[in-house]
Amino acid sequence: MTRAKKKKHTRWTLIMLLIIAGISIFGFYVLFGPNTGAFTQDEYLYIRTGTTYDQVIETLEESHIVSDMNGFKLVAKAMKLQDNIHPGRYRIKKRMSNFNIVRMLRSGSQDPVKLVINKLRTKQDFARLVATNMEADSFEVMRLMGDSVYLSEFDVTPQTSMALILPDTYELYWNSDADKVLRKISKNYKRFWNKTRTQKATARGLTPVQVSVIASIVEEETNMSSDKPKIASVYLNRIRVGMPLQ
């Protein structure tokens, strides 16, 4: 090989190496470079039960959570996201890469919801709160809260089912259905009514449900702490003489 041919061969080799290096750098950037939209705080992607891959892509495009959709689609296809769609609430942090977003979605690593329950008066209030914060349907919540066979598992009736709903902060996955929500809340109810508290209620001739009902009535009737014992005594006397609480 002549000197001129060697130079030409070396030049083409260098060009090919640069092209390969450029492709590698580009591929690395598409995979691991930041690819989120122009938001300053974390965004949340909600994937409803039954959502398809195409619908997820459509949601991402419409919400502008992802900056470069073409790059995202390349990584999503390579990582087979289309075969691993999981419903849930996903926290997208600023400057996340395509790799991290896709890995989170395909593994179902969703961010839980904190369902904060303060003072609720009716089943409708509870069902509305759940439906506002979760994927669970309010009509299904209401149906279960009125199902005597279902509620018997928790030792309550359709008339006393609100006794289960103790004020607290409950951590649940966004896509939890009505049954999972109620089972989570009932576990908290059982933890609250431990042996000591149950014995104290029994000593006064009351069941845990009766205590919960009286407490809710007192809370509705007054905000004055000094008046609460007096009002409670009225309803305790009703129970002693066999009158309904109403």
Side-chain angles (χ1 to χ4, degrees):
M1 184 182 293
T2 64
R3 191 169 183 179
K5 286 184 177 180
K6 283 183 178 179
K7 284 184 178 181
K8 186 176 181 180
H9 177 74
T10 302
R11 191 183 310 121
W12 278 109
T13 301
L14 287 172
I15 291 171
M16 290 302 297
L17 289 173
L18 287 172
I19 292 172
I20 293 170
I23 293 173
S24 299
I25 292 170
F26 173 76
F28 184 87
Y29 186 83
V30 169
L31 195 60
F32 297 109
N35 190 31
T36 52
F39 51 83
T40 56
Q41 296 181 333
D42 296 344
E43 291 281 345
Y44 287 93
L45 173 65
Y46 294 87
I47 300 178
R48 300 190 69 85
T49 301
T51 297
T52 65
Y53 170 77
D54 289 338
Q55 289 171 330
V56 171
I57 294 299
E58 184 179 351
T59 300
L60 286 170
E61 288 176 334
E62 291 176 351
S63 63
H64 304 292
I65 289 176
V66 169
S67 178
D68 175 20
M69 281 305 301
N70 290 327
F72 178 85
K73 290 176 185 178
L74 284 173
V75 176
K77 287 288 186 181
M79 295 177 67
K80 300 187 183 302
L81 177 60
Q82 65 273 18
D83 299 326
N84 296 278
I85 299 297
H86 303 282
R89 171 181 180 261
Y90 296 92
R91 183 182 181 186
I92 310 296
K93 298 178 182 178
K94 185 181 179 182
R95 299 183 65 78
M96 280 184 77
S97 67
N98 287 323
F99 176 80
N100 286 331
I101 296 173
V102 174
R103 182 176 63 175
M104 177 178 64
L105 296 180
R106 76 188 304 277
S107 65
S109 301
Q110 58 174 303
D111 207 49
V113 172
K114 289 184 178 180
L115 184 67
V116 181
I117 296 178
N118 293 315
K119 185 166 70 173
L120 295 175
R121 185 171 178 272
T122 66
K123 297 177 193 177
Q124 289 82 357
D125 292 336
F126 172 63
R128 192 180 303 113
L129 178 70
V130 172
T132 300
N133 291 276
M134 316 278 298
E135 185 185 22
D137 183 76
S138 61
F139 293 104
E140 181 63 10
V141 174
M142 287 294 295
R143 187 188 71 77
L144 293 180
M145 292 287 281
D147 187 333
S148 57
V149 175
Y150 174 80
L151 293 173
S152 64
E153 184 178 344
F154 311 116
D155 297 322
V156 293
T157 67
Q159 291 73 34
T160 62
S161 56
M162 281 300 290
L164 290 174
I165 318 301
L166 296 180
D168 208 336
T169 298
Y170 300 87
E171 195 169 274
L172 294 139
Y173 286 123
W174 175 79
N175 59 309
S176 298
D177 60 19
D179 174 59
K180 288 181 180 177
V181 172
L182 287 172
R183 289 188 183 282
K184 177 80 173 184
I185 289 174
S186 70
K187 285 181 181 178
N188 188 54
Y189 176 81
K190 289 179 181 178
R191 280 195 299 269
F192 179 83
W193 283 107
N194 54 31
K195 186 177 180 180
T196 300
R197 288 195 176 102
T198 302
Q199 286 176 343
K200 286 182 178 179
T202 302
R204 290 178 173 271
L206 300 171
T207 66
V209 170
Q210 286 175 321
V211 173
S212 298
V213 171
I214 292 172
S216 66
I217 292 173
V218 172
E219 284 295 316
E220 280 296 314
E221 292 207 5
T222 183
N223 289 320
M224 299 290 292
S225 297
S226 59
D227 291 339
K228 289 179 180 180
K230 299 174 186 177
I231 296 171
S233 66
V234 171
Y235 288 96
L236 287 170
N237 288 332
R238 280 191 177 187
I239 290 177
R240 290 191 185 100
V241 299
M243 289 179 64
L245 288 175
Q246 296 179 339

